[in-house]
Amino acid sequence: MTDQPPSPTTLPTVRLLDELDAPPLSLGRMTWLRFRRHKMALVGIGILTLLVLYCTVGAFFYSEKQANYNDTGIALQPPSAKHPFGTDVIGRDILARTIYGGQISLLIGLTAVLLETTLGILIGALSGYFGGIVDTLLMRFTEAILIIPQIFLLLVMAKFFTGDLPDVTFLGREFSSSVIVIIVIIGLTSWPYLARIVRAEFLGLKEREFVLAARATGTSTFDIIFRHILPNSIAPIVVSATLGVANAITLEAYISFLGLGVRPPTATWGNMLEGAYNYIETAWWLWLFPGLLILLIVLSINFVGDGLRDALDPRSRTV
């Protein structure tokens, strides 16, 4: 007599018991499982990692002095074994400049978003939690900033503030003072969008049971805002901050391309494109390599942002 296979009705019961016995997934584990299902986000992580390594490890092979050294005798040379990315109009090595320019572009993107996120969280949290006259005043101010075109505001402020300020030396490197100015300008003009997101989150959470319980137990307003409500609003903030890095790098490239961004001798991928439009056909390497790097980092950050948005969505039940 042969063994009979288990009846189909017993299989779901066995699987259900296995699921009940399995330990519950933590929030971090669940987020990672959702994130890794987003293939383009994983591709974005890979590209972003390679670009960061390019800008950091490359500094061990090329010094900043090499990036800024000019020799008009080798100006506008096409890519070669000695200069893999060619040379610019005054004979500087483009490969070395893309390495150090990438460091500044990433620095601008990260620090500008840090300032943007700080202001956006602070204003959005105060507006959403307190409401009333505080909400009215802060939101009217936010809307006043929003109605001014950001590019126009950036150009005016960059023209006004990047005058004859002295260069800055930090960690052994000399930076054009315009780097700090551009970081502050981008940070001060990008926070309204995040502030509105945070305000909406706080309006929806401040009347939830856990917040009411915290008030009833005498928890301070500071703790309620920053230890109870804010951690539950972190998902849209993380996504917005991630995409904000790409936006900051793009904005810097815009204004540097127009000649109002970071000043030489400090290189960025944006200001390397300044003047390259005069050589679109005759010296294609002037715009191809920095433009390609900007394209790759913006695309990779956007892919990662899309993946984080799906992974941190509280309404998603798929793992």
Side-chain angles (χ1 to χ4, degrees):
M1 180 177 180
T2 59
D3 294 334
Q4 295 295 326
S7 63
T9 56
T10 63
L11 294 177
T13 304
V14 173
R15 283 199 294 266
L16 180 59
L17 290 175
D18 291 340
E19 292 174 1
L20 291 175
D21 292 337
L25 292 174
S26 65
L27 179 60
R29 176 67 176 169
M30 188 180 301
T31 300
W32 166 244
L33 290 175
R34 292 174 181 168
F35 181 82
R36 73 179 187 179
R37 294 181 58 176
H38 200 293
K39 302 303 182 185
M40 294 309 297
L42 297 179
V43 171
I45 287 286
I47 295 174
L48 192 58
T49 301
L50 291 176
L51 289 174
V52 172
L53 290 174
Y54 173 78
C55 297
T56 53
V57 177
F60 292 100
F61 297 93
Y62 291 89
S63 66
E64 187 177 16
K65 184 178 180 180
Q66 288 177 285
N68 294 328
Y69 177 77
N70 62 82
D71 181 2
T72 55
I74 57 171
L76 293 178
Q77 285 194 354
S80 61
K82 187 175 182 180
H83 303 285
F85 287 3
T87 60
D88 64 8
V89 293
I90 58 175
R92 294 175 296 192
D93 186 84
I94 293 179
L95 173 60
R97 289 184 66 77
T98 55
I99 291 172
Y100 286 90
Q103 294 177 6
I104 303 301
S105 293
L106 289 171
L107 174 68
I108 290 174
L110 293 172
T111 51
V113 164
L114 180 62
L115 178 59
E116 169 195 343
T117 304
T118 302
L119 289 174
I121 289 175
L122 183 61
I123 293 176
L126 294 177
S127 178
Y129 182 79
F130 290 106
I133 187 66
V134 175
D135 182 31
T136 300
L137 291 175
L138 290 178
M139 283 300 102
R140 297 299 81 76
F141 174 66
T142 301
E143 290 165 2
I145 300 296
L146 280 172
I147 63 174
I148 304 175
Q150 189 179 22
I151 297 296
F152 173 77
L153 192 60
L154 277 168
L155 293 175
V156 171
M157 295 177 71
K159 179 67 175 178
F160 181 77
F161 288 108
T162 55
D164 298 325
L165 297 176
D167 293 340
V168 178
T169 302
F170 181 68
L171 295 178
R173 288 195 59 185
E174 185 177 356
F175 297 96
S176 169
S177 59
S178 55
V179 173
I180 299 175
V181 174
I182 296 302
I183 289 172
V184 173
I185 291 174
I186 293 177
L188 291 178
T189 56
S190 302
W191 60 266
Y193 301 98
L194 179 59
R196 290 162 69 96
I197 293 173
V198 175
R199 173 181 176 269
E201 290 291 320
F202 269 66
L203 287 174
L205 292 172
K206 70 178 183 178
E207 299 300 332
R208 297 284 294 273
E209 292 79 1
F210 68 94
V211 177
L212 298 177
R215 288 177 186 159
T217 57
T219 305
S220 66
T221 300
F222 180 89
D223 287 342
I224 291 176
I225 292 176
F226 293 102
R227 294 185 180 179
H228 292 275
I229 303 180
L230 186 58
N232 287 279
S233 309
I234 201 67
I237 294 174
V238 169
V239 175
S240 177
T242 303
L243 299 177
V245 175
N247 183 56
I249 293 174
T250 307
L251 286 173
E252 183 276 324
Y254 284 162
I255 58 180
S256 292
F257 179 76
L258 296 174
L260 295 172
V262 177
R263 305 290 188 186
T266 304
T268 69
W269 291 339
N271 67 14
M272 290 181 68
L273 294 173
E274 183 183 357
Y277 59 86
N278 294 322
Y279 303 92
I280 290 179
E281 295 182 357
T282 57
W284 50 268
W285 58 90
L286 291 181
W287 56 265
L288 176 64
F289 296 110
L292 181 62
L293 290 169
I294 292 173
L295 174 66
L296 287 175
I297 196 166
V298 171
L299 279 178
S300 63
I301 292 175
N302 283 331
F303 288 154
V304 173
D306 288 342
L308 287 174
R309 181 189 59 199
D310 295 341
L312 294 171
D313 186 0
R315 292 178 295 274
S316 176
R317 297 182 179 273
T318 59
V319 177

